[in-house]
Amino acid sequence: MVSLLVASTPCESQDERPGRIEVISGADLQTVLAVYNGSEAGDEFGAAAGSDTLPGGSPAPERDWLVGAPGAQTSSGRVWAVRARDGQRLFSVDGDLLGGELERFGHQVAALGHVDGRQFTDWAIAAPASVDSEAAPTVVALTDVGGALGEAYRLEGPPGSLFGWRVINLFEDLDGDGNFEFLVTSPRESNGNKSAAGALRIFSSKTGRRLYTVRGEEAGDNLGYSVGPVRDQDGDGARDLLVGAPGDGSKDRPGHVVILSSRNGAVLGRLNAPAKALHFGFALRLILADLDGDGREDWIVGAPGYRKARGAAYAISSSSLEPLQRIRGRRKNQQLGVGFKGLAVNRDLDGDGLNEVNVNSLLAKPKQPLKDQLGRTAIYSLGARSVLQSRDGKESFDRLGDGGTGSAADFDGDGSFDPLLAIPARPLAYVPAQ
């Protein structure tokens, strides 16, 4: 059995160092234009990143970054406001200063929009603690208070549930108040006596009122470990949701993905794990490419436990819900399919009419020790079914592709936006069984 899901708490490392953000040329997706480092060893700067308008930041239409550093030891976690065009730090919000027993504040960062028309963007910041912590995992909503960010409200989940593991803007107004709602997952939450069944909840961004809850059905489902919006599946005019439940790595619970209505949480469909695809649903996303010619964009789902943790990623038809392609890892413990964040999202680089996709692995090099966790993010052509280029982590625990990603400003003046790649340099406490 492959065991990947244990905790969100970093392991101790003898070579702890700050996380960093690299700004990459949008022209070649290789040249590093700038590097911005975290402020202290082990801070995991770059664990999450969001871009939008910030107090004291760039004038519209430019957007700046809010960057999570949940491992900051001088506080219970921190978020930094960073100006996109030059990397200048504008201010920080420390978990300690907000009060309460927050742990790992900055694990997730979600821009909620200009709630009630305020000048600056509101944000949801997750502090999910860890599975063995007695602290209540928390999501804090930060709002514009006279040109600064202050707390609007906070939401709490059961201790050990990892409430706040994933936080995303739903981009749908479900309660008619003129503001988008947001989603929070807690993959280790119990459903009655079924431990780690998982759950997700939808909240009003204006008031924090819970609109509905969806729970995992079986112990060890880990529902909500991954989540992403997809195009309208049920014809009600609203985006819907893919939600991963990657299981516990056993043959009885290899993982699955559910398709949910964003309006009420109704189950619209289910993707079961293909043969040997353990931890199916560990990562997923809309790929903005129509592979089967049905006029609908398709999806990609990771199964890093496939065949002794070589890992695999499956392109799935959004119409038939059947696999269209399989991308496989080539060596034991490579764990291909741990994520799909990277540099080439929504771009057709090889001119085949299909946007490429990033496919990430835990291991980068053939003889790299598992414990090094350098990480690799590869740009994969779905048309040619081949890797166009790849980028490897440089130091132990880089876990390249594990941090936040997004668009920066045009750093080099070539007319294209240059993407950022965050490298939080965080060893995590889950490792595959040998």
Side-chain angles (χ1 to χ4, degrees), residues 73 101 112 147 156 169 179 182 192 201 218 228 233 242 244-245 260 262 283 299 320 343 350 363 368 403 405 431-432:
Q73 300 300 309
E101 296 185 17
L112 301 182
E156 293 185 351
N169 188 331
N179 301 292
F182 67 101
R201 294 172 174 85
E218 301 296 335
Q233 291 293 115
L242 283 186
L260 300 180
S262 67
W299 311 324
S320 69
L343 301 174
D350 59 359
L363 297 190
Q368 173 203 341
T405 55
V431 294

Side-chain angles (χ1 to χ4, degrees), residues 343-354:
L343 301 174
V345 176
N346 304 341
R347 298 181 64 177
D348 178 11
L349 300 176
D350 59 359
D352 64 358
L354 297 172

Side-chain angles (χ1 to χ4, degrees), residues 11-34:
C11 302
E12 293 183 359
S13 169
Q14 294 181 348
D15 58 348
E16 275 194 345
R17 62 191 186 282
R20 67 187 186 274
I21 286 177
E22 296 182 354
V23 180
I24 311 298
S25 167
D28 62 14
L29 298 180
Q30 290 286 346
T31 303
V32 178
L33 302 177

Side-chain angles (χ1 to χ4, degrees), residues 29-215:
L29 298 180
Q30 290 286 346
T31 303
V32 178
L33 302 177
V35 178
Y36 304 117
N37 292 306
S39 59
E40 60 182 272
D43 64 358
E44 300 174 56
F45 180 74
S51 62
D52 217 311
T53 55
L54 289 166
S58 306
E62 287 189 54
R63 296 183 173 191
D64 296 308
W65 310 325
L66 200 64
V67 181
Q73 300 300 309
T74 53
S75 70
S76 53
R78 176 183 295 128
V79 292
W80 285 98
V82 179
R83 192 160 61 196
R85 66 176 120 102
D86 58 11
Q88 179 179 337
R89 297 185 190 189
L90 304 172
F91 60 87
S92 67
V93 180
D94 286 13
D96 282 351
L97 300 181
L98 293 173
E101 296 185 17
L102 298 180
E103 292 185 13
R104 297 190 56 73
F105 180 74
H107 169 83
Q108 288 274 280
V109 171
L112 301 182
H114 298 251
V115 175
D116 283 351
R118 297 187 183 97
Q119 181 180 1
F120 299 109
T121 298
D122 288 43
W123 299 83
I125 313 297
S130 62
V131 294
D132 55 358
S133 173
E134 296 181 359
T138 304
V139 173
V140 179
L142 299 179
T143 190
D144 173 12
V145 287
L149 290 179
E151 182 175 340
Y153 55 83
R154 64 178 59 190
L155 311 167
E156 293 185 351
S161 67
L162 298 185
F163 177 79
W165 182 255
R166 295 288 179 258
V167 181
I168 65 170
N169 188 331
L170 205 58
F171 290 104
E172 297 291 345
D173 177 13
L174 303 182
D175 57 4
D177 66 357
N179 301 292
F180 293 141
E181 319 324 333
F182 67 101
L183 176 152
V184 179
T185 74
S186 45
R188 301 291 293 184
E189 185 170 341
S190 296
N191 183 0
N193 62 356
K194 299 173 181 177
S195 63
L200 69 83
R201 294 172 174 85
I202 305 296
F203 296 95
S204 163
S205 62
K206 180 178 180 179
T207 65
R209 180 173 66 92
R210 179 174 56 84
L211 303 183
Y212 65 80
T213 301
V214 178
R215 299 184 181 277

Side-chain angles (χ1 to χ4, degrees), residues 287-292 298 325 346-357 380-384:
I287 57 176
L288 297 181
D290 177 13
L291 300 180
D292 53 1
D298 297 311
Q325 287 189 32
N346 304 341
R347 298 181 64 177
D348 178 11
L349 300 176
D350 59 359
D352 64 358
L354 297 172
N355 288 327
E356 320 318 339
V357 64
Y380 187 86
S381 168
L382 293 163

Side-chain angles (χ1 to χ4, degrees), residues 248-262:
D248 61 7
S250 68
K251 292 182 179 179
D252 293 333
R253 282 187 291 273
H256 64 275
V257 174
V258 292
I259 307 148
L260 300 180
S261 165
S262 67

